[in-house]
Amino acid sequence: MISLAGRDILHSWGKFVFTGVGLGLLIGVTLSMAGIYRGMVEDAKILLDNSGADIWVVQQDTLGPYAESSTIPDDVYRSILGMEGVERAANVTYLTMQVRHDGGDVRAMVVGVVPGGPGEPGQPISLVAGRHMTRSHYEAVADLKTGFRLGQRIVIRRNVYTVVGLTRRTVSSGGDPMVFIPLKDAQEAQFLKDNDAIVRSRRRTSQNPAFSRPIPGLLDAVIKSQSSNSNVNAVLVRLAPGHAPEEVAKSIQRWNRYQAYTRAQMEEILVDKLVATSARQIGMFLVILSVVSAAIVAFIIYTLTMGKIREIAVLKLIGTRNRTIASMILQQALGLGFIGFVVGKIAATLWAPIFPKYVLLLPEDAVRGLFAVMIICALASVMAIRAALKVDPAEAIGG
């Protein structure tokens, strides 16, 4: 049996293919927007995975180091280590800044961690090249997204660091790559003042009548305390097997008087509060783009059908049934939608790595997208079929 849809497509295959490619690029943009939203959520979750923590101990009445400012003394971890159920506890600092290097600068989240192996909370889970930090100063481990190389020297505040290790997919909730440096250096970098500010602070302190008492070393001790930092942003806690995070978190809050969040709570903060506004904005844009795409698909199918109205009129004059004509239009619409989806999926996969932030293309989103495209094409073909069958053959051929 001759396929009218196939014969018609072969007759004008160039127009049909190029239309499908154009439609595919539009579908690819829609799939990419969905991938950007998924990537934002995935970045928030990967941040928690890379920390290697079960509980985050932060400043009381704050949402933690990822959502807002948190400052606690760096000796808190000792008391937490002695609590039941706690296997490991480590200080950590977070600071988003421009990291300079010989070719310019890179925006990154600088993470201060205790030097050691991958078992310490806060340390990169795995490296793709090099080694972990072993010294207390001037070594760094960077994410591949920064573009740094092993042995490269980078500048953070006033200090120069050597990149000794490279890792992958260690990013902040905003998608910025991470650079890990020793905790002591990070503490200094986070609260470092410029030289003029230090001089002015010392002058104000020396002129303060409260420090003019005849006590040897008082003024020097006060000035030294002002120029040093003994605070961190959080304590990352890893639990021993068999202990419930909720119970240990309650115990920490009760006895240490600090806020403690479990993994589930911290994930809720990141997804529902930190990236919620950006996610809603992308979601609204995705809805608008989907509506516009559906309208364009319907317009393309309607225009293609009306463009061959004379051929349809001839088919009707030679006795072709309306069901056969409707089947031809439906098959062409579904074929166009399938070609468009394949092109769009390939295009989205190819250009996703080029985006500055992570784009996560899930198979289930692709299945939903294919289903939606087929539904839209089917509905558009129904509209085109109704318009085509209402046309009088004599008037169409005579016109």
Side-chain angles (χ1 to χ4, degrees):
M1 182 177 179
I2 299 176
S3 173
L4 292 178
R7 294 295 296 272
D8 186 57
I9 291 174
L10 289 175
H11 178 69
S12 56
W13 66 270
K15 180 180 179 181
F16 189 85
V17 170
F18 281 113
T19 302
V21 171
L23 178 61
L25 295 177
L26 181 62
I27 294 174
V29 173
T30 307
L31 291 175
S32 297
M33 288 303 302
I36 291 174
Y37 168 76
R38 297 285 190 187
M40 291 180 62
V41 176
E42 182 66 16
D43 281 344
K45 293 181 178 180
I46 204 71
L47 174 60
L48 302 182
D49 291 338
N50 289 330
S51 69
D54 299 311
I55 295 176
W56 286 255
V57 181
V58 299
Q59 181 180 339
Q60 199 169 32
D61 300 324
T62 67
L63 294 178
Y66 310 127
E68 60 186 46
S69 177
S70 168
T71 303
I72 60 177
D74 60 5
D75 59 355
V76 172
Y77 82 98
R78 294 191 180 96
S79 60
I80 296 175
L81 269 175
M83 302 188 68
E84 183 181 359
V86 176
E87 183 179 57
R88 291 190 179 184
N91 292 322
V92 67
T93 64
Y94 298 99
L95 176 64
T96 300
M97 59 178 295
Q98 297 295 128
V99 178
R100 291 174 290 157
H101 57 97
D102 51 6
D105 54 42
V106 175
R107 185 164 184 82
M109 174 179 275
V110 177
V111 185
V113 296
V114 179
E120 286 293 331
Q123 285 281 356
I125 297 176
S126 61
L127 301 180
V128 296
R131 60 174 176 83
H132 285 85
M133 294 177 293
T134 57
R135 293 199 233 170
S136 299
H137 297 283
Y138 313 129
E139 289 187 341
V141 173
D143 186 84
L144 286 173
K145 194 176 177 182
T146 60
F148 298 155
R149 307 177 306 275
L150 283 179
Q152 183 175 359
R153 294 183 177 272
I154 60 176
V155 180
I156 299 176
R157 291 289 193 257
R158 298 174 186 168
N159 295 329
V160 179
Y161 297 83
T162 301
V163 178
V164 298
L166 296 175
T167 183
R168 179 185 286 115
R169 286 294 293 142
T170 51
V171 295
S172 69
S173 58
D176 296 322
M178 287 184 173
V179 176
F180 298 85
I181 63 175
L183 179 64
K184 293 184 182 296
D185 290 345
Q187 287 177 297
E188 179 184 350
Q190 193 168 34
F191 297 95
L192 182 66
K193 298 178 181 179
D194 60 85
N195 292 332
D196 292 337
I198 293 174
V199 171
R200 287 192 294 266
S201 176
R202 290 177 177 176
R203 184 184 301 119
R204 284 194 299 267
T205 303
S206 62
Q207 294 173 354
N208 190 333
F211 303 124
S212 61
R213 301 174 185 178
I215 302 176
L218 174 61
L219 181 60
D220 293 337
V222 172
I223 291 177
K224 183 178 181 180
S225 67
Q226 291 177 342
S227 59
S228 61
N229 171 39
S230 59
N231 294 320
V232 294
N233 298 129
V235 175
L236 304 179
V237 179
R238 182 175 298 166
L239 301 181
H243 292 270
E246 295 79 10
E247 296 300 324
V248 178
K250 289 180 181 178
S251 181
I252 292 174
Q253 292 181 159
R254 179 182 179 184
W255 297 107
N256 294 83
R257 310 300 295 173
Y258 289 103
Q259 194 73 40
Y261 293 107
T262 64
R263 166 63 191 259
Q265 291 171 327
M266 190 58 71
E267 184 174 323
E268 182 181 357
I269 290 173
L270 283 175
V271 176
D272 295 344
K273 292 182 172 62
L274 192 59
V275 302
T277 302
S278 299
R280 282 197 297 268
Q281 184 173 356
I282 292 178
M284 291 181 63
F285 188 78
L286 179 60
V287 171
I288 295 173
L289 185 61
S290 299
V291 172
V292 172
S293 300
I296 293 177
V297 170
F299 178 77
I300 289 174
I301 293 175
Y302 182 83
T303 302
L304 288 177
T305 303
M306 293 297 102
K308 49 179 177 283
I309 196 67
R310 290 190 177 185
E311 290 82 353
I312 294 176
V314 171
L315 290 174
K316 295 181 69 175
L317 285 176
I318 63 176
T320 305
R321 294 180 299 176
N322 289 343
R323 180 183 299 176
T324 304
I325 297 174
S327 176
M328 178 191 70
I329 297 174
L330 177 61
Q331 291 175 31
Q332 289 183 349
L334 294 178
L336 185 65
F338 182 77
I339 292 175
F341 176 80
V342 172
V343 172
K345 184 65 173 67
I346 294 174
T349 303
L350 291 177
W351 65 46
I354 304 176
F355 279 76
K357 291 191 177 183
Y358 184 54
V359 179
L360 179 60
L361 302 174
L362 296 178
E364 49 265 36
D365 287 339
V367 173
R368 296 190 191 100
L370 176 60
F371 182 75
V373 169
M374 293 296 103
I375 293 295
I376 292 171
C377 289
L379 294 177
S381 67
V382 172
M383 180 181 63
I385 289 169
R386 289 181 177 179
L389 295 182
K390 288 181 180 179
V391 175
D392 184 68
E395 291 181 0
I397 296 176

